[in-house]
Amino acid sequence: MSVSAVLSALPAAAHADTAPGEGPHTGATRPQEPRTGAAPAVLMPPPVRAEDSGDRLTVTVRHLGDTDGRTYELRCHPAGGSHPTPEQACETLDRRTTWGKDPFAPVAPGTLCTMLYGGPATAHVTGTWAGWPVDARFDRADGCQIARWDALVPLLPDTGGQ
């Protein structure tokens, strides 16, 4: 809200420029004196260069069966890096990033989970996302962990039910 909008909303401020005998109903007001100080400038952050967006993640996946392990780099905004599908991975993260919700959050303690084993695959994601540090570990030890993993496919590889 601008300063003038705030002042016009205040009853005392609305009539501060009227002379005695003058008022809002007479139409007579004092001329405005020029202000000595302009409204403060709104400072904007410098433009962010693509290579400085800060959305950079390292994804290390192990025990998928086909290899001993893989490590991918992912950059978003714009998408890039050594990840096999950077655009789709960035889109998935963007969709799952909402105010007050961490897309990398662990399963809450006390959550009831099915005792369904999804295989030995593990993943470790580190870096920075949306200005926040990330250090998240994933596995497929039960139904909650499987759902958490699957929610981040294709950032994490689709295990095909392994």
Side-chain angles (χ1 to χ4, degrees):
M1 182 179 259
S2 70
V3 173
S4 61
V6 170
L7 291 178
S8 68
L10 298 173
H15 305 297
D17 294 323
T18 57
E22 301 172 342
H25 302 292
T26 65
T29 61
R30 285 191 220 161
Q32 291 286 325
E33 294 181 11
R35 294 183 183 192
T36 56
V42 176
L43 299 177
M44 299 297 290
V48 176
R49 295 188 321 238
E51 61 271 12
D52 293 338
S53 73
D55 293 331
R56 296 172 181 261
L57 298 171
T58 300
V59 181
T60 302
V61 181
R62 299 201 186 290
H63 312 293
L64 272 176
D66 57 345
T67 66
D68 187 34
R70 300 180 216 166
T71 298
Y72 303 112
E73 299 295 325
L74 175 67
R75 290 185 317 276
C76 296
H77 311 112
S82 61
H83 191 280
T85 57
E87 293 85 7
Q88 292 87 348
C90 292
E91 288 171 9
T92 296
L93 286 170
D94 283 338
R95 269 194 318 275
R96 296 200 45 85
T97 302
T98 59
W99 185 258
K101 193 172 181 183
D102 179 1
F104 303 100
V107 174
T111 302
L112 296 177
C113 303
T114 61
M115 296 308 295
L116 178 67
Y117 181 66
T122 63
H124 187 200
V125 180
T126 59
T128 304
W129 181 256
W132 293 93
V134 175
D135 187 6
R137 295 187 184 277
F138 297 83
D139 62 43
R140 300 179 62 81
D142 61 38
C144 294
Q145 299 298 342
I146 293 169
R148 183 173 172 247
W149 180 295
D150 289 349
L152 289 180
V153 170
L155 172 67
L156 302 178
D158 186 351
T159 63
Q162 178 188 6

